[in-house]
């Protein structure tokens, strides 16, 4: 049997990498702002976090996808070998699977013969229904690259106002306010794009992502402020 080619879709990896990048970097910026530390500290910690976490997430994505591929292939080949040696050992489970699809009586027997005449199709059916696994368009290297690029691009947004401040010439809290507005807007946009892979309305998905990211940053800001207060008291 010739299987249909399953093309890799980079958009989900780009979206989730972007969400993670923006949330984590925004949290770092908020924590440093809460502690009222210099802009230089924000840039050092922010950029270090951006690169290190971006690489970490991309590596995890690569290893996870490769492991999933290897598990699927190993189990698929084992089932295929098992069926080719004696397809009758799957007769009872095949009955159950096809019955669950609504086939009965003569139709059930016809459907069984069709699958038993095509070992690859039978294995695919078993993989889906017994092992709950499907062959997806996964490409570990491309997934890792898409994740890393999106993490860096979207995760850089919370740092832009600080990097470009010599040009923007913002003062005091204006830098952080600009960062908050830009980052929350970016989170909303990425969240809205995420709705393409769910049943959520794009507005709800965008708002949910924005609120969760803002909440994480709020926690970081509070922790930074609290730790700075404690350090000031000790000093």
């Amino acid at each position: 049997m010739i299987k249909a080619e399953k093309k890799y879709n980079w958009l989900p990896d780009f979206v989730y990498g972007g969400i993670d990048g923006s949330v984590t970097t925004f949290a770092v910026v908020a924590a440093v702002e809460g502690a009222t530390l210099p802009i230089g500290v924000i840039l050092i910690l922010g950029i270090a976090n951006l690169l290190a976490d971006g690489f970490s997430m991309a590596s995890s994505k690569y290893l996870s996808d490769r492991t999933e591929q290897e598990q699927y292939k190993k189990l698929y080949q084992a089932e295929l070998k098992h069926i080719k040696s004696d397809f009758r050992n799957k007769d009872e489970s095949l009955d159950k699977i096809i019955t669950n699809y609504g086939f009965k009586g003569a139709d059930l027997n016809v459907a069984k013969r069709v699958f038993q005449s095509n070992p690859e199709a039978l294995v695919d059916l078993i993989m889906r229904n017994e092992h709950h696994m499907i062959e997806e368009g996964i490409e570990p290297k491309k997934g890792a690259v898409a994740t890393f690029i999106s993490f860096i691009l979207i995760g850089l947004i919370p740092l832009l106002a600080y990097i470009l401040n010599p040009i923007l010439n913002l003062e005091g809290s204006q830098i952080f306010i600009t960062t908050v507005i830009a980052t929350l807007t970016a989170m909303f946009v990425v969240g809205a794009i995420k709705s393409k892979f769910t049943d959520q309305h794009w507005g709800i998905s965008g708002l949910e992502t924005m609120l969760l990211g803002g909440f994480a940053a709020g926690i970081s800001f509070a922790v930074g402020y609290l730790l700075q207060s404690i350090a000031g008291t000790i000093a």
Side-chain angles (χ1 to χ4, degrees):
M1 180 183 71
I2 300 176
K3 292 187 178 182
E5 182 182 358
K6 296 176 175 60
K7 295 183 179 180
Y8 167 70
N9 181 8
W10 59 270
L11 194 54
D13 291 332
F14 190 91
V15 167
Y16 290 110
I19 291 175
D20 199 6
S22 59
V23 170
T24 54
T25 309
F26 191 27
V28 169
V29 171
V32 178
E33 281 284 1
T36 63
L37 297 176
I39 290 180
V41 176
I42 291 178
L43 291 176
I44 291 171
L45 293 181
I47 293 174
N49 168 80
L50 192 64
L51 295 175
D53 276 9
F55 180 78
S56 175
M57 188 174 180
S59 299
S60 297
K61 174 65 179 173
Y62 172 79
L63 293 174
S64 176
D65 282 355
R66 192 177 69 174
T67 299
E68 187 175 342
Q69 274 189 333
E70 291 172 350
Q71 288 178 335
Y72 182 90
K73 288 179 181 178
K74 181 178 180 180
L75 190 55
Y76 182 94
Q77 291 300 324
E79 287 285 3
L80 183 61
K81 182 179 180 180
H82 200 40
I83 288 169
K84 285 185 174 180
S85 63
D86 183 8
F87 68 80
R88 288 172 298 181
N89 57 56
K90 286 291 182 181
D91 192 71
E92 184 177 341
S93 59
L94 183 57
D95 271 348
K96 183 178 179 181
I97 292 172
I98 296 178
T99 299
N100 288 336
Y101 278 97
F103 289 92
K104 296 179 181 180
D107 291 336
L108 173 64
N109 293 326
V110 171
K112 280 181 61 177
R113 285 196 296 271
V114 170
F115 277 105
Q116 288 171 341
S117 67
N118 192 326
E120 287 82 3
L122 178 54
V123 173
D124 184 71
L125 189 70
I126 291 170
M127 293 293 289
R128 289 172 181 270
N129 291 273
E130 284 192 359
H131 304 293
H132 308 291
M133 298 177 68
I134 60 173
E135 186 179 17
E136 300 179 279
I138 296 175
E139 295 193 28
K141 291 181 180 178
K142 290 182 179 180
V145 170
T147 299
F148 182 75
I149 290 175
S150 66
F151 192 100
I152 297 299
L153 289 180
I154 310 300
L156 187 63
I157 291 175
L159 297 173
L160 283 180
Y162 297 95
I163 295 173
L164 300 176
N165 193 47
I167 299 173
L168 299 174
N169 199 26
L170 299 173
E171 297 179 0
S173 61
Q174 289 180 334
I175 305 176
F176 186 54
I177 293 173
T178 301
T179 295
V180 170
I181 294 173
T183 305
L184 292 181
T185 300
M187 288 179 176
F188 181 87
V189 172
V190 175
I193 296 174
K194 180 171 67 72
S195 67
K196 287 181 172 291
F197 319 113
T198 67
D199 293 328
Q200 275 188 319
H201 184 273
W202 65 269
I204 295 176
S205 181
L207 186 62
E208 179 184 66
T209 303
M210 183 181 72
L211 290 176
L212 288 174
F215 184 71
I219 293 175
S220 295
F221 185 91
V223 170
Y225 179 82
L226 180 62
L227 293 178
Q228 175 64 15
S229 301
I230 294 173
T233 302
I234 295 175

